[in-house]
Every structure is written in C-alpha cells, then in structure tokens.
Amino acid sequence: MIKKISMIVLALFLLLPSWSQAGSWKEDPSGVPGQWYVGTTPSYVAPSKQPILFVHGLNSSSNTWWDDNNMYDTAYQNGYETAFIDLYPTKNMWDNGALLAQKIRDIYNYYGEKVVIVAHSKGGIDTQSALVHYGAFPYVSRVITLSTPHHGSQLADLAYSSWAGWLAGILGNKNDATYSLQTGYMSYFRDVTDQHANVSKIPIYTFGGTKWGSFGGSLYWGGLYLSGYGSNDGAVTVKSSRLPYATELKVGDWNHYSIKEGSSTFNLFKDYLNETAIQSSGTLNQTTERNSASYHDASSLIRGGEYQGKTQEKIQVEEGATSITFDWMSSSPSSRVILKDPAQKVYSSFTVKKDESDYFKGAYHHTLTLQTPIAGEWTLESTSSNQEEYLLNVSFESSLNDAVMVDVNQDEISLKKKDSKVSLQQDMTIEFYKNGKLKEGKLKPKQNGTFKLPKLGEGVYNVTIDLNGSKGKNKFNRTLIKSVYVDANGKVYGE
C-alpha cells in the first residue's frame, strides 16, 4: 500500500508473496509535483537500515518504481522503508531542486532520520541541485544515481540542433528539462556545482549502462546516435554517468530503463543503504579525461526538413565504409521511403517503428542497415501525400569517423583534423535560445577553420557543423553538433 501524506489511509492490504508487489492501492498516485508517498512498512526494519527515497527522471513520475518494475517490491522484501516523490516531469534542475529540497526535509521529519536517495536519470541532477544549491544535504546520508546524465545528453543537443530542433518542437518534446540537459548548459551546471562548498557533504555512487535494447526498441535509435560518443544505454553515455568525485559501483549491460529495475541493481547497492555503509568496492573517479562527455567521432550525417509530395536527400558514402544505417524519422508512419545506391539499385525493405524515447517521442523511424556499401552518391527518397516533417540520421562504420574533432576555446569553435591527409569544407549553423526565443544564422569560418560565436548574450548556443570532406579521391559527408552555454558575464562553458 502506498499512502499519500496528509491523506487518510483507507485500508490495509494483506501482503502478497515475495514475487508480487509489496503493497497495493486502488489507483496510482496523482503525479502532482510535490506530492510524496510512503510505501508499506516491512514487519521488521533493522535499526541500521535507513529509509530510501526514490526520485524519478525526465518525463516520468513516482510510479516508474513499481509499474512494470520490481524496485519497490525488492526494497520492501529486503526490509527497507520507502518513500517516493513526484517532481515536475519537464522542468529543469533548479525548479525541481528547490521543490525536492523542501520535501526532503519533510520526509526526514516523518522518519526522524536521514534517508538514502536512489535517483534515476535526470532525477540524479535534480537531487544534486537540491542538496548542493538548496541546502538539503543535512537530511541525506548518501546518493545513488542510476544512469544520470551528469554531463548532459548529446540527444538533447540533437533535439535543439538546426536540423532537428523543429521536429522535436512539433512532437512536443522541447521543454525546460530537455533544454537544460544540453551538454553546454550542463557544463555550466557542473562548474557551479562541483566547486560549491556543499558538494563534498554527501557521498555519491553511480551506475552506468551499455545496452540499447533490441533493434526497433525505444532506445535503439538513441543508442545508435550516441555510439559516436562512446558506450551508452540508449539515452546516456557511460562517460556522462560518471562524476570525478563519485564512486562508480558498476557499469553493466543495462539499458536506460532496465538499470532502474530492482532485480537488476538493488543487490549491487543495498550495502550502501545502511547507516554505516560498507567500504566501497567501486572505483573513485579522481580524474576525468578532457572531453569525457563531449567527445564525438564524426560518424553521423544529419539532415531534416518538411515537405509534401516527394523529397530526397543525397548521401556520399566513402570507400572502405564497413556498414551504414539509414534512419528516416518522420512525423507520420505513412511515408514511403526508398533508397538508391550509385548503381541505381533500389532498396525498400525499411523497418518502421514508433519512437517512445524522451527526445523524439511520437516520431516514426524508417530504418535500414547495409553491410559493405559501395562507394559513391546514394539517394534516399520519401513520398507522402500529407505535410510531413522529417529528420535523417545516417550512421557510418568507417575509418574516417575519427578524422576530425570539435574544440571549444572560450568564444571560438574550431575543427581539428586528426588526419593530415583529410581536406574539409564546412558550413556552420548556429541556433541561439534565450527565454524561449530562437535566433538562427549562418557563420563563416576563418581561414584556419575557426568559427567565432556571435555576441548574443546569455544562453545556449547550439551549433551544427556540416562537413564535406575528402581524403585523396575518397569523398565523405558528416555532421557534428555542439552546444555551449554563455553566462551573464560572457564566460563560455562547453568542452
């Protein structure tokens, strides 16, 4: 049974066997931000066991811990008292941090002792905001984060890029939360948080995942795009799940959803739920490699737009590419998508699946993977009788993926060639957001390939760089996306 605080408990529930949920309620909690709930109290709670407060992530609610999830039941069966809270599902870490800090105090007073917080995804950022910036640290003994994007998510950068931003907006997936998860803004959050006097008051333990789920699953396409940034769970890279001063308990073969299941991770962190935790068996990340969260190999070509009738995109595939995946993401499932190789051979066996992830939920993916594609210009055509919005992500497996990298130096963004035999032509589009308003413009690079940020004031600058490159006679196309944050004093954040 879950009881809403300040509400009358209507009935007690006879506990079911250990494989079933620990308690029952006639309907799910309301999901109203700020409401918190208490789980059924086990028949015996050892004095050493501290209550657990579970904090949900982006576009979620408290029921994520028991709907199709045995985390609540697992905690109950292990003799722990539990509490759950609903935060704003689409607001940033400042709004949620302030709200959570107030409720942590209330939960502390209810139990009369400190709690351990277990947070999934963005819930870990909201939790750290509450403890560090809103003073809730005296009421918490430690924090365990499950695939929290401590350094932001490159999927948020993609959602606000010039090619994809409008599609995310049409689908209704651009909000304060996704805006704040851009890696540039999170670089700012890390700076003001990691140097704060309160940051060392509470120990943090982290988990990261490396699985995307099966082909066509809700995390597959995010994992495909993020693969250019390293190992990931379909939503968050392993590198982003880490903090330099936190203890990493485990990186395992979980996806972004399975990592929060009780049967997956509870036994791995349960020894850290007691008043006196065991000595850590994890790894303290004392140093963080530069560009740990923002490193990106040039593995993707991104295009997007809107059309009615027919449209096409040209893709240059280089010699030596071992595989290529075409992912045509549209606002409708009715698009007819075909692909033609340089020899005019036609491919039409695209798999169509609906996206259920946080950033492009509601879009439809038309996906096709080819091994050892022939070099030359490929053409992807789409036909629709209706007004259609689309985003194309072409992912390459190729030795040219690491030919270039992006570097940020104060107010300049530059491309650095890692292969001296590569020549580049590039166009840069910048989208600047402040108070929800967008300014967009094309930038021209200096002779050394450096772009200077325009002085538009405080806000997030989301930069899209389209590359036309060659190595000898071998031509290739790629897209690099980068976000940086400029504060009120003109300081630039973004590695």
Side-chain angles (χ1 to χ4, degrees), residues 143-164:
V143 174
I144 298 164
T145 65
L146 307 175
S147 192
T148 288
H150 292 292
H151 302 273
S153 174
Q154 293 82 4
L155 288 174
D157 292 349
L158 175 62
Y160 281 85
S161 69
S162 61
W163 286 122

Side-chain angles (χ1 to χ4, degrees), residues 91-126:
K91 289 197 174 184
N92 62 31
M93 70 286 286
W94 308 113
D95 292 330
N96 275 344
L99 178 63
L100 180 58
Q102 298 173 12
K103 303 306 174 181
I104 287 174
R105 294 183 185 93
D106 294 342
I107 295 169
Y108 168 84
N109 289 330
Y110 176 85
Y111 285 112
E113 62 177 314
K114 292 183 178 182
V115 299
V116 177
I117 292 181
V118 175
H120 177 240
S121 192
K122 180 179 171 289
I125 300 169
D126 296 336

Side-chain angles (χ1 to χ4, degrees), residues 73-350:
D73 181 62
T74 303
Y76 172 82
Q77 297 298 340
N78 278 269
Y80 287 90
E81 296 172 293
T82 53
F84 307 85
I85 189 167
D86 281 310
L87 299 179
Y88 299 107
T90 59
K91 289 197 174 184
N92 62 31
M93 70 286 286
W94 308 113
D95 292 330
N96 275 344
L99 178 63
L100 180 58
Q102 298 173 12
K103 303 306 174 181
I104 287 174
R105 294 183 185 93
D106 294 342
I107 295 169
Y108 168 84
N109 289 330
Y110 176 85
Y111 285 112
E113 62 177 314
K114 292 183 178 182
V115 299
V116 177
I117 292 181
V118 175
H120 177 240
S121 192
K122 180 179 171 289
I125 300 169
D126 296 336
T127 295
Q128 198 175 27
S129 176
L131 302 183
V132 173
H133 297 287
Y134 296 98
F137 66 86
Y139 314 108
V140 175
S141 59
R142 61 192 64 87
V143 174
I144 298 164
T145 65
L146 307 175
S147 192
T148 288
H150 292 292
H151 302 273
S153 174
Q154 293 82 4
L155 288 174
D157 292 349
L158 175 62
Y160 281 85
S161 69
S162 61
W163 286 122
W166 54 270
L167 176 59
I170 288 172
L171 297 171
N173 299 324
K174 294 172 76 172
N175 51 56
D176 289 348
T178 54
Y179 177 88
S180 69
L181 288 175
Q182 292 177 87
T183 59
Y185 191 83
M186 283 302 300
S187 179
Y188 161 74
F189 179 75
R190 291 266 58 92
D191 189 73
V192 298
T193 301
D194 295 351
Q195 299 181 50
H196 198 286
N198 292 340
V199 77
S200 61
K201 300 290 179 63
I202 304 297
I204 299 176
Y205 302 87
T206 68
F207 285 82
T210 60
K211 295 297 183 182
W212 315 343
S214 59
F215 175 79
S218 60
L219 296 168
Y220 178 82
W221 298 283
L224 183 67
Y225 180 76
L226 289 177
S227 62
Y229 298 89
S231 298
N232 68 86
D233 66 359
V236 176
T237 64
V238 170
K239 292 176 181 178
S240 189
S241 73
R242 293 168 169 159
L243 284 171
Y245 46 82
T247 299
E248 184 175 80
L249 292 182
K250 190 172 178 61
V251 172
D253 58 351
W254 305 293
N255 65 41
H256 194 64
Y257 302 141
S258 66
I259 200 170
K260 63 181 170 68
E261 295 174 357
S263 53
S264 295
T265 51
F266 185 87
N267 284 337
L268 298 174
F269 64 71
K270 69 178 182 180
D271 290 332
Y272 299 88
L273 300 173
N274 303 328
E275 289 183 7
T276 303
I278 65 169
Q279 186 171 351
S280 172
S281 59
T283 301
L284 180 64
N285 294 304
Q286 294 179 327
T287 60
T288 301
E289 60 182 298
R290 190 173 184 273
N291 295 324
S292 64
S294 61
Y295 169 75
H296 182 17
D297 67 16
S299 60
S300 293
L301 173 71
I302 307 294
R303 294 291 185 267
E306 53 187 341
Y307 73 99
Q308 185 170 2
K310 180 182 290 187
T311 192
Q312 64 177 219
E313 295 286 356
K314 302 289 187 180
I315 302 101
Q316 189 70 42
V317 176
E318 65 269 19
E319 187 175 347
T322 57
S323 73
I324 183 171
T325 297
F326 299 86
D327 180 22
W328 181 272
M329 190 189 314
S330 66
S331 56
S332 168
S334 62
S335 305
R336 180 175 180 268
V337 181
I338 63 170
L339 179 68
K340 296 179 182 178
D341 70 13
Q344 298 304 299
K345 180 180 178 179
V346 176
Y347 302 82
S348 58
S349 55
F350 284 77

